[in-house]
């Protein structure tokens, strides 16, 4: 299974850490999902339907899953996400140093599962919490092929309880899966590939 789109990761001064997936192409079509970990460590998935919720919750770890409408829009200047009563408005900055480096990779290489398995130890050393290969549960493997990255300059976030506060680093890394987005608020362009044992792809990675 291959998913192409964007992942945005931000921290808020209220202690919430948010990872939003904005998928333009996938086996489930175009959709968005939002993962939130609050200051107490409670992890919530906001998904637009049962099929998305089932796949994502089988791949990542959550304490609660909510089915809510998820809408998103991305322009050159901003990304806006609405998931139930949650609102996110991200003002986008320039391409980061990481993004400039990532764009030097040929796209076919950058999304190759074999290359990502080899790259994984280096990615873990270079970016805290990052990884390019790991477990997806049920004997499956997951690979993150990141091809671009931009900084996030500012944030408006809140829900029915009120504002979630100002933009801060995504630290500590949220505990949804084997990897996190960079601690500096960032939006990345990514191709995520999930393989099963029958696909014949093997690699070694730490969870």
């Amino acid at each position: 299974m291959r998913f192409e789109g964007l992942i945005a990761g931000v921290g808020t001064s209220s202690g919430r850490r948010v990872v939003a997936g904005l998928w333009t192409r996938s086996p489930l079509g175009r959709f968005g999902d939002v993962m939130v970990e609050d200051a107490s460590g409670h992890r919530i998935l906001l998904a637009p339907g049962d099929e998305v919720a089932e796949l994502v919750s089988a791949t990542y770890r959550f304490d609660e899953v909510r089915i809510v409408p998820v809408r998103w829009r991305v322009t050159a200047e901003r990304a806006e996400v609405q998931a139930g009563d949650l609102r996110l408005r991200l003002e986008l900055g320039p391409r980061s140093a990481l993004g400039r480096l990532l764009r030097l990779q040929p796209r076919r290489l950058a999304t190759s599962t074999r290359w990502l398995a080899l790259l994984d130890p280096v990615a873990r050393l270079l970016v805290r919490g990052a990884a390019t290969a790991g477990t997806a549960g049920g004997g499956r493997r997951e690979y993150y092929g990141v091809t671009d990255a931009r900084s996030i300059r500012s944030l408006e976030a809140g829900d029915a309880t009120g504002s979630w506060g100002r933009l801060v680093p995504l630290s500590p890394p949220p505990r949804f899966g084997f990897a996190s987005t960079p601690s500096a608020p960032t939006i990345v362009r990514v191709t995520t590939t999930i393989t099963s044992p029958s696909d014949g792809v093997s690699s070694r990675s730490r969870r």
Side-chain angles (χ1 to χ4, degrees):
M1 294 184 291
R2 179 164 282 198
F3 300 77
E4 298 178 9
L6 302 168
I7 296 177
V10 294
T12 74
S13 57
S14 65
R16 295 176 175 90
R17 284 144 292 152
V18 184
V19 176
L22 313 174
W23 304 105
T24 54
R25 300 178 68 180
S26 85
L28 304 180
R30 177 185 169 100
F31 72 93
D33 64 300
V34 182
M35 308 176 192
V36 181
E37 183 171 355
D38 66 20
S40 71
H42 188 73
R43 296 163 297 184
I44 303 170
L45 169 65
L46 305 176
D50 291 336
E51 192 173 16
V52 172
E54 184 175 320
L55 174 62
V56 177
S57 60
T59 307
Y60 303 98
R61 299 183 296 274
F62 303 98
D63 304 298
E64 181 182 352
V65 176
R66 299 178 187 171
I67 306 298
V68 297
V70 179
R71 301 181 181 87
W72 59 272
R73 178 173 178 266
V74 179
T75 68
E77 295 81 23
R78 66 183 58 87
E80 299 176 346
V81 183
Q82 179 180 342
D85 64 359
L86 169 62
R87 305 288 191 278
L88 297 174
R89 181 185 174 95
L90 313 174
E91 296 294 330
L92 307 183
R95 181 169 291 118
S96 64
L98 175 63
R100 292 193 294 273
L101 178 63
L102 290 168
R103 282 170 62 85
L104 296 176
Q105 305 176 97
R107 178 173 174 79
R108 177 173 290 186
L109 178 65
T111 59
S112 162
T113 56
R114 294 185 184 278
W115 168 247
L116 294 169
L118 291 171
L119 184 63
D120 184 60
V122 178
R124 292 174 187 266
L125 286 174
L126 291 178
V127 182
R128 182 192 176 205
T132 57
T135 179
R140 299 173 302 156
R141 304 288 295 169
E142 185 172 22
Y143 303 85
Y144 293 129
V146 181
T147 55
D148 201 357
R150 293 179 63 182
S151 63
I152 295 173
R153 294 191 294 197
S154 66
L155 164 74
E156 295 177 17
D159 60 9
T161 66
S163 172
W164 288 5
R166 69 182 186 282
L167 180 68
V168 301
L170 192 77
S171 181
R175 302 167 300 113
F176 304 122
F178 68 87
S180 174
T181 57
S183 59
T186 303
I187 186 167
V188 301
R189 185 166 297 280
V190 63
T191 296
T192 299
T193 305
I194 299 175
T195 65
S196 66
S198 60
D199 294 323
V201 177
S202 64
S203 64
R204 283 189 286 178
S205 171
R206 296 170 292 169
R207 187 177 182 95

